Amino acid sequence: MLSRTCLLARKSSKLPLYSLANRFSSDVAEPKSSKIPLSSGQTGATVLGGVLLATAVSKEMIVLDADVLAGAILGICTYGIGKKVSPLAIQSLDKYIKNIETTMSEGKQVQIAAYETAIAEEKAAAESLKLSSDIFDIKTKN
């Protein structure tokens, strides 16, 4: 007489193969988006740094007194403020630089126009100097 396990094995071997494939493909979980900003490469370094810091504190290599805590809090606050304020500062500096560039471009165009008029005046003066020799010859003859 066959055991109960053997009977179950015979019944399950008669199942079509596509149901097994479907079963295993549906068991795969879709990756969920995480709210943690660290990527997989950064997480290991962060955990290692945290473990080393905890070890240093527990072995009293780093003494957490008021100065260290104040410095850490000051550094964290400075970093946070920098992250919040930096986009605004970048935008305002970009506008300021664009304003300077337009002003300098306008000044350059004005200088180019002034040089072109000066060149035209010099060419006109050169033409008048050619005629002055004729005038000088006429006056010397009279």
Side-chain angles (χ1 to χ4, degrees), residues 95-105:
K95 288 179 184 175
Y96 180 71
I97 289 171
K98 192 169 187 173
N99 188 14
I100 289 174
E101 288 175 349
T102 54
T103 304
M104 292 182 78
S105 177

Side-chain angles (χ1 to χ4, degrees), residues 67-118:
D67 295 338
V68 173
L69 289 176
I73 290 171
L74 183 63
I76 291 169
C77 288
T78 303
Y79 177 77
I81 290 171
K83 286 292 258 189
K84 296 287 184 185
V85 173
S86 63
L88 299 174
I90 289 170
Q91 288 175 355
S92 66
L93 288 173
D94 284 344
K95 288 179 184 175
Y96 180 71
I97 289 171
K98 192 169 187 173
N99 188 14
I100 289 174
E101 288 175 349
T102 54
T103 304
M104 292 182 78
S105 177
E106 290 170 359
K108 180 181 173 183
Q109 297 301 326
V110 168
Q111 279 185 336
I112 289 172
Y115 287 139
E116 287 174 350
T117 32

Side-chain angles (χ1 to χ4, degrees), residues 1-88:
M1 184 166 211
L2 294 173
S3 70
R4 185 174 188 171
T5 309
C6 229
L7 288 173
L8 288 174
R10 282 186 181 191
K11 286 181 183 177
S12 66
S13 68
K14 294 177 183 175
L15 293 174
L17 290 177
Y18 69 86
S19 66
L20 290 176
N22 288 340
R23 179 178 157 229
F24 290 124
S25 67
S26 65
D27 288 344
V28 176
E30 292 292 324
K32 295 180 181 177
S33 63
S34 175
K35 291 185 179 180
I36 299 173
L38 299 175
S39 67
S40 61
Q42 295 174 338
T43 307
T46 304
V47 170
L48 178 65
V51 168
L52 290 176
L53 181 65
T55 304
V57 169
S58 70
K59 300 289 182 185
E60 294 184 2
M61 291 179 195
I62 298 175
V63 179
L64 295 177
D65 59 351
D67 295 338
V68 173
L69 289 176
I73 290 171
L74 183 63
I76 291 169
C77 288
T78 303
Y79 177 77
I81 290 171
K83 286 292 258 189
K84 296 287 184 185
V85 173
S86 63
L88 299 174

